[in-house]
Amino acid sequence: MRRRLTVAILILIAVTLVLTTIGSYFFIRRAAVSTTQQELAGQARAISTTFSNGNVNKKTFRRELDVIATAGAFDGVGFIRLEPGDTYRGTMPAGITIGELDVPALQAGHQVTGHTSTLLAYSAVPTPTTVVTGFVPILVITRQIHNPANGLRYFLLVGVVALAVAALVAAALARR
């Protein structure tokens, strides 16, 4: 009888730990995605404002993009030309395709932010300038979201310690 009670308590605690770990992973991952997307949206608007003010000329354009990519720790920074008829020219940052962007929203002048299944967050913002006509320049930036699975080892360590303590408590309770 003692052994069954001890095993039942341990199984209950193990199931609770597994469910808690899975739930924690889901919510931490969701928070990481949301936070990264919000940061990228703000950074994309700021960069877009810099370029739309006309402070950058063709000679310094590429150098400015390189500085921004390095300073912002972006995985990709680039401009594409969104032309009439839903066509575009230019190179998208690695890991993202035009199909993942909401082209009608971009054409309407709205910012688009999201993430891919590989946890690559992106933000695309129309960047109108006074010298460009005939197409809409779109700034696209990307950043890899850190997967919370890297912290799963700590959950497992805490789970093993909690299970060991629970085993001691369960054995003591079963003796009574």
Side-chain angles (χ1 to χ4, degrees):
M1 181 70 166
R2 284 188 226 170
R3 187 174 300 154
R4 283 191 224 157
L5 182 59
T6 303
V7 169
I9 291 172
L10 288 177
I11 289 173
L12 177 65
I13 291 171
V15 168
T16 303
L17 284 172
V18 167
L19 291 177
T20 303
T21 301
I22 291 170
S24 296
Y25 172 78
F26 172 75
F27 287 117
I28 291 170
R29 182 178 187 263
R30 195 168 169 188
V33 168
S34 177
T35 300
T36 302
Q37 285 180 201
Q38 288 175 359
E39 288 174 357
L40 274 182
Q43 292 165 342
R45 282 191 302 272
I47 295 166
S48 174
T49 301
T50 300
F51 281 106
S52 64
N53 286 340
N55 297 336
V56 178
N57 58 38
K58 287 184 178 182
K59 292 180 181 180
T60 62
F61 179 75
R62 177 52 47 196
R63 188 175 44 143
E64 291 289 329
L65 278 182
D66 291 341
V67 168
I68 287 169
T70 302
F74 302 116
D75 289 332
V77 177
F79 272 93
I80 60 170
R81 295 169 47 159
L82 191 56
E83 298 176 343
D86 295 346
T87 59
Y88 80 97
R89 293 180 193 237
T91 305
M92 295 286 285
I96 187 168
T97 64
I98 193 72
E100 292 167 314
L101 302 179
D102 185 356
V103 175
L106 290 169
Q107 288 175 329
H110 302 293
Q111 183 173 10
V112 174
T113 303
H115 70 281
T116 65
S117 60
T118 60
L119 291 181
L120 181 70
Y122 60 85
S123 188
V125 61
T127 308
T129 63
T130 56
V131 296
V132 173
T133 57
F135 65 89
V136 179
I138 306 291
L139 169 69
V140 182
I141 60 175
T142 62
R143 180 179 293 142
Q144 191 65 45
I145 301 169
H146 297 292
N147 193 344
N150 299 338
L152 223 48
R153 290 180 294 215
Y154 299 109
F155 277 120
L156 292 174
L157 177 64
V158 169
V160 167
V161 170
L163 204 53
V165 169
L168 295 173
V169 171
L173 288 174
R175 281 189 209 120
R176 290 184 182 196

